[in-house]
Amino acid sequence: MSTQTCPPLSRSAGHSVVPISKGLPPVAGPGCRILVLGSLPGAESLRLQQYYAHPRNHFWELMGTVCGFPSALPYPHRVRALLARDIAVWDVLASGHRPGSLDSAIDLESAEVNPFDVFLRDIPTLSRILFNGALAERLFAQRVLPGLPAGQQGIKRMRLPSTSPANASIPKQEKLVAWRAALELPK
């Protein structure tokens, strides 16, 4: 798999120093069938070391509604609830310069992708990859998919409306309908 390497720990952006944002480890179990991929964790997620930690992000509210758990549960309980439904969570990027939390702020030249060839090999039960927004889908298609073995390239993929508070043009109810349909797990 071809990845871009990151420059040293920080780089100048104008006159300020922009630190490299390092992603979070995957939330996954050996029997997961669905993988939800974002782009790179935002500032609040990195600060708390929790996926989708920004209080206005709809991710946990949508997952709770679809999967049947209270979205106000402590983070470890929400993670266990997803894993009980065979849902994994990760990001396309392992690291990159990101001043702020918007996807548009990610410096794609500094971005390094996660090792998907190994990850997908270790979870052979994955049958669906859901992208939490357009950038995650685009980065996966451009930087990950070409380097995957043929068997891994065939995993069904679908872009969903981003759960980010920046994606306010799509009503939450519309997002819920799309996410519910995509998360339907075959018995």
Side-chain angles (χ1 to χ4, degrees):
M1 171 175 56
S2 170
T3 62
Q4 294 184 0
T5 58
C6 287
L9 294 176
S10 63
R11 92 174 218 210
S12 292
H15 296 305
S16 63
V17 175
V18 180
I20 294 174
S21 294
K22 298 275 187 189
L24 301 173
V27 168
C32 286
R33 294 184 280 164
I34 294 177
L35 172 60
V36 176
L37 286 177
S39 55
L40 182 68
E44 188 69 0
S45 291
L46 292 173
R47 185 180 76 77
L48 295 174
Q49 292 294 288
Q50 299 177 4
Y51 282 99
Y52 304 104
H54 191 288
R56 290 191 346 243
N57 192 302
H58 294 137
F59 181 80
W60 289 109
E61 184 180 350
L62 296 175
M63 293 302 106
T65 300
V66 172
C67 297
F69 64 85
S71 61
L73 285 174
Y75 182 73
H77 296 279
R78 287 180 277 156
V79 166
R80 280 197 292 279
L82 286 186
L83 293 174
R85 292 287 308 264
D86 297 325
I87 299 169
V89 179
W90 206 18
D91 286 301
V92 176
L93 298 179
S95 63
H97 294 289
R98 184 181 199 174
S101 292
L102 295 175
D103 276 357
S104 61
I106 299 171
D107 173 12
L108 297 179
E109 290 183 24
S110 71
E112 182 178 335
V113 298
N114 274 309
F116 281 92
D117 53 343
V118 174
F119 179 81
L120 296 174
R121 182 194 66 219
D122 290 347
I123 305 180
T125 52
L126 276 174
S127 61
R128 199 174 320 161
I129 297 173
L130 306 178
F131 299 103
N132 191 351
L135 182 61
E137 178 188 42
R138 188 176 90 226
L139 289 170
F140 188 88
Q142 291 173 348
R143 298 187 181 191
V144 176
L145 193 60
L148 293 178
Q152 293 176 351
Q153 289 184 10
I155 297 172
K156 182 179 175 183
R157 297 178 305 278
M158 178 187 301
R159 180 180 60 183
L160 293 167
S162 173
T163 61
S164 167
N167 185 21
S169 64
I170 299 175
K172 186 172 24 173
Q173 187 60 35
E174 197 174 314
K175 292 179 187 181
L176 176 61
V177 169
W179 279 87
R180 184 185 308 276
L183 288 164
E184 286 299 318
L185 293 168
K187 298 291 180 197

